[in-house]
Amino acid sequence: MKAAVLDRRGPDGLNWREFPDPILRPGESILKVAASSLNRVDLYMRDNGAGITHTLPQILGVEAAGEIVETEPDSGLRKGAKAIIYSVAFCGKCRFCEAGDQPLCVDARLMGEHRHGGFAEYVAMPNRCFFELPDEADLASAGSLMVGHLTAWRMMFGKRALQPGESVLIVGIGGGVAVACLQLARMVGARVYVTSSSDAKLTQAKAMGACGGVNYTRDPVSSSILDLSGGGVDMVIDSVGQSSWSDSLKSLRRGGRLVTCGATSGAHPSADLQRLFIRQLEIYGSTGGSVGEFRQLLDVFNRGLIKPVIDDSFKMGDIRAACDRLSAGSQFGKISLRN
């Protein structure tokens, strides 16, 4: 088969080339991949990969949707069915898995990180990671659903769910997770505010239902959000980290909560402890989502309530050009890859 294989670190080390087909192992099935999408972790794997246990060569890609082509008779899966993959190969035995909190599995192995991923013609994963889709499902959309929307789902509805009528600030609108957060917040009837360095992205966000936006290169974020929201928002979604942290805390109303899923600008912001305890703010981290949350996400996807925003689409063989597009940071939504 052909696959996007990381042979060595750096942009030139990622090659669309021949690679051995996956082997059907006990307890696993094989998907013929129709579509996937790029995520920031793919660039991290390409350029660094520190802290993620793996060996090169490695097929990248943490998402995949397509058709089940090989499976065991007792797997409960149908050969020929459309399917999407839950990309965490979890152990099913640790205390977290038994509690239904698979993202915290102590022996988790992620597709495209710890094992071969979905930027390929075929990919193998444990049977329990396959979720069948309706026959009419749009596989390009499904291939862009797992990472951004599941991460967003857990952030917004996990520990203390965003409620209808509440307000949320999404820091740095444009990336897959941020746009998914905007979609999900509007789906439940929340008021949404966004920040960006791009007026065009702010305009796109407003067209999708955002109540207002702040260009952080031109206007003060926290005071602007306090004015727009009438005293502060109930929730802030911040994946930027150090450079935005102070404004994120200052944009919260008393008793508000800040959810973080990344630290692209640095991991060591000021804690601002006095603000934290005086205003009784909550801060919690989030990544990925559980199988139960994935089922909830698939339900609203299959009912047509949400659809990933695809900014651009590339053939998988054009993986380097697709990575350049993501690296530029100018996209609004997902960058799709298709076979």
Side-chain angles (χ1 to χ4, degrees):
M1 70 172 183
K2 288 286 188 71
V5 183
L6 183 65
D7 293 299
R8 62 185 183 279
R9 300 294 174 203
D12 294 340
L14 182 58
N15 302 290
W16 180 253
R17 65 173 179 84
E18 290 291 338
F19 198 82
D21 290 352
I23 298 171
L24 185 65
R25 293 184 170 87
E28 295 192 350
S29 297
I30 295 175
L31 184 83
K32 182 179 181 181
V33 180
S36 182
S37 73
L38 273 174
N39 293 279
R40 283 286 167 184
V41 70
D42 300 310
L43 298 184
Y44 180 75
M45 287 289 293
R46 183 194 68 177
D47 298 333
N48 190 311
I52 299 175
T53 303
H54 63 285
T55 57
L56 300 183
Q58 164 88 34
I59 301 174
L60 299 188
V62 295
E63 297 189 83
E67 177 186 331
I68 299 170
V69 291
E70 290 191 59
T71 190
E72 299 170 310
D74 60 350
S75 68
L77 301 171
R78 295 180 299 122
K79 188 175 179 179
K82 288 183 176 180
I84 185 173
I85 289 181
Y86 176 78
S87 60
V88 183
F90 55 95
C91 74
K93 301 175 183 178
C94 70
R95 57 176 290 195
F96 301 107
C97 286
E98 289 182 344
D101 206 1
Q102 292 83 7
L104 295 178
C105 173
V106 299
D107 195 29
R109 301 182 69 237
L110 274 68
M111 185 175 80
E113 296 184 31
H114 309 100
R115 56 184 291 157
H116 290 311
F119 295 168
E121 293 180 314
Y122 300 93
V123 64
M125 283 289 282
N127 295 330
R128 58 176 170 248
C129 294
F130 284 74
F131 290 80
E132 292 189 14
L133 296 168
D135 292 341
E136 66 275 12
D138 176 11
L139 292 178
S141 293
S144 297
L145 182 73
M146 161 71 198
V147 173
H149 278 77
L150 185 57
T151 299
W153 188 281
R154 188 174 180 88
M155 293 179 79
M156 309 206 82
F157 309 133
K159 291 188 177 180
R160 190 146 72 87
L162 184 69
Q163 299 296 317
E166 285 193 316
S167 56
V168 57
L169 168 63
I170 302 170
V171 177
I173 195 66
V177 173
V179 174
C181 284
L182 171 54
Q183 286 184 308
L184 295 175
R186 293 300 302 134
M187 184 186 75
V188 299
R191 292 176 289 120
V192 183
Y193 304 92
V194 299
T195 70
S196 177
S197 61
S198 165
D199 287 337
K201 290 185 180 182
L202 296 178
T203 298
Q204 287 176 282
K206 291 175 185 176
M208 290 180 61
C211 297
V214 180
N215 186 320
Y216 59 78
T217 66
R218 187 174 59 237
D219 301 313
V221 172
S222 58
S223 59
S224 297
I225 293 300
L226 291 176
D227 288 342
L228 287 169
S229 63
V233 295
D234 297 285
M235 176 186 282
V236 173
I237 301 294
D238 189 329
S239 61
V240 177
Q242 195 163 314
S243 66
S244 60
W245 194 260
S246 177
D247 278 324
S248 292
L249 289 177
K250 292 176 182 176
S251 297
L252 286 168
R253 65 157 176 81
R254 290 177 178 269
R257 64 265 197 204
L258 188 157
V259 191
T260 176
C261 72
T264 56
S265 68
H268 303 287
S270 170
D272 200 356
L273 291 179
Q274 287 181 319
R275 177 176 297 274
L276 190 64
F277 63 72
I278 289 173
R279 299 179 70 87
Q280 299 191 47
L281 305 177
E282 296 179 64
I283 299 174
Y284 49 92
S286 186
T287 187
S290 69
V291 168
E293 289 164 331
F294 193 44
R295 292 186 189 279
Q296 293 173 326
L297 173 62
L298 287 178
D299 177 61
V300 299
F301 172 72
N302 290 334
R303 289 160 55 197
L305 298 178
I306 56 166
K307 182 178 181 180
V309 174
I310 295 179
D311 175 89
D312 209 344
S313 181
F314 293 81
K315 287 284 189 181
M316 284 201 189
D318 296 326
I319 182 65
R320 291 188 183 181
C323 287
D324 289 343
R325 174 74 173 138
L326 182 61
S327 296
S330 58
Q331 84 282 359
F332 190 93
K334 299 287 288 184
I335 295 174
S336 175
L337 294 170
R338 309 183 192 189
N339 274 319

